[in-house]
Amino acid sequence: MQTESIMVNMNRKDTSASRLLAKDNLLFLSEASNILNSSLDYNATLVSVADLIVSNIADFCIIDLMERNGHIRRVAVKDADSHLNTFAQQMYNYPPNPKVKGAIYDAARSGKAILIPFAEEEWLKQVAYSEELQIIRRLGLNSHMFVPLKSRGRVIGVLTFASRSSAPFTKEDVVLAEELAVRAGIAVDNARLYKEAQDAVRARDEFLSIASHELKTPLTSILLQLQIVLGSIRKESSEIPTKRLETMLENTEQQSKKLSKLINDLLNISLITTGRLTLDKEKVNFPNLVKDILRRYEEQIKKSNYDVTTEIRNNIFGCWDKVRIEQVISNLISNAIKYGDRKPISIQVNKRNNQALFIIKDNGIGITSPFQKQIFERFARGVSPKHYRGLGVGLYISKNIIEAHGGSIKVKSVLRKGSLFSVELPLKN
Ligand code: ADP
């Protein structure tokens, strides 16, 4: 038989397609609905979909789901033959390639099922990596269907069905596979939404617990200092020497500032998540702003014994929200101090292609490559709270502020070698 790729687009309201569903198939689909609706557990739902496919329609199946960034991620692989199943799991190593035509990505893009009644060598060589081809050959798969998974009017993934049988898949099989995909799409989407909601609640609870702890620490210190001062004033006899009083009040002031920053962070998160972050723009002398902030960190830099070098070019003016840009720069500087491992830090302020540029490089603990991808997300923390305090929101707020100005913030880092954060802000707004 010739290789024949057919884009199948059957309208579900079309009675001719519905008629293709035999009574047995309707029974199977009704049972499938019951199974798929029985759990909201994400992993259990994926297992059910794969089981339903390999027990009723195909010898082998793959479930690929669409990520928010448009990439497709492999989430399940199953072979009906338990002896071959372990070997089949190697298909996880070959995620779908967006450049390959006539397979998974095409089914996702077009929203239409693709039927390959018989996979000839030539077609296989086009769609599979050479190692993947070996696996397909060893599994003896020769007929394929790529069926989009849809929910709420969008494609959320693709189901791959494959068969070892000498009788190839037909258009009737596609109809059945599409009907199953309709039910599976809704079940997987619901399970995914439920999981995301659960994860979000867990992250929020964790955040609330860390936030309360972070708020309590400076507050306890403030209360303690105030109690000592008050206690001393009330006892007429004992006086605290002025110098000691000054130190105590300075300490209280410092802790109050910490508290105010934390509350400010919490307020900013609520403004960002509710889309109410507004900018109060004015003319900003960028080099002066950075120098002012650095002056505020002088004491801390000295105390931690940091060697900070700066290269600040003058005459860079932007029209920005000064307070918010100050918050971003302060956050990057305080992170470099916090995570910089007391090794040299360099700061650069420059102008390039009508953009103001701020670069801060430390030689500290660095960030693993997987975490670099999440670093600007809300509540993302790559360090143990035992060693480093923080809420994991500074970079999230910074990114939102910079993007609200039409700019960008990026990170480059090597674990245990250091990190480089760069901010670009448009000079003309
Ligand atoms: P926080 O510092 O409060 O945790 P941030 O949003 O500022 O929150 O940073 C998020 C995470 O990014 C930190 O927990 C840390 O793992 C990592 N990080 C940020 N800046 C650096 C840096 N300069 N070096 C190494 N890791 C960093």
Side-chain angles (χ1 to χ4, degrees), residues 107-208:
R109 287 184 198 119
S110 67
K112 292 174 190 165
I114 297 173
L115 168 64
I116 310 289
F118 188 80
E120 294 213 333
E121 249 340 81
E122 208 180 306
W123 178 81
L124 279 171
K125 277 185 185 155
Q126 272 173 34
V127 301
Y129 300 97
S130 59
E131 296 87 349
E132 189 185 4
L133 196 60
Q134 312 287 330
I135 304 169
I136 296 171
R137 279 200 198 112
R138 194 163 152 203
L139 293 174
L141 306 172
N142 48 31
S143 190
H144 301 256
M145 296 189 282
F146 303 103
V147 181
L149 264 180
K150 292 180 193 169
S151 178
R152 293 177 289 146
R154 351 169 250 120
V155 173
I156 63 155
V158 175
L159 295 180
T160 298
F161 301 72
S163 156
R164 278 189 266 283
S165 156
S166 53
F169 285 132
T170 61
K171 282 188 184 172
E172 285 81 352
D173 293 317
V174 175
V175 175
L176 181 63
E178 279 191 315
E179 287 296 337
L180 179 68
V182 169
R183 289 150 178 84
I186 296 166
V188 170
D189 200 24
N190 284 344
R192 183 150 79 168
L193 286 174
Y194 183 64
K195 183 175 183 295
E196 278 172 8
Q198 274 186 319
D199 289 348
V201 169
R202 200 170 305 124
R204 195 200 54 195
D205 287 349
E206 226 167 80
F207 171 74
L208 283 178

Side-chain angles (χ1 to χ4, degrees), residues 357-423:
L357 200 64
F358 174 84
I359 300 174
I360 182 158
K361 184 177 177 300
D362 65 61
N363 291 280
I365 63 168
I367 306 153
T368 63
S369 339
F371 187 63
Q372 284 175 44
K373 294 193 186 87
Q374 302 166 26
I375 198 163
F376 297 104
E377 283 172 21
R378 201 163 49 144
F379 313 142
R381 298 216 72 210
V383 285
S384 145
K386 264 193 235 145
H387 301 114
Y388 299 95
R389 316 195 67 124
L391 295 177
V393 294
L395 289 177
Y396 167 75
I397 294 170
S398 299
K399 185 175 195 279
N400 276 277
I401 291 175
I402 295 299
E403 287 180 352
H405 282 84
S408 64
I409 178 166
K410 292 190 186 112
V411 61
K412 276 189 199 156
S413 181
V414 178
L415 192 63
R416 287 187 282 276
K417 289 266 182 324
S419 309
L420 183 150
F421 283 86
S422 59
V423 172

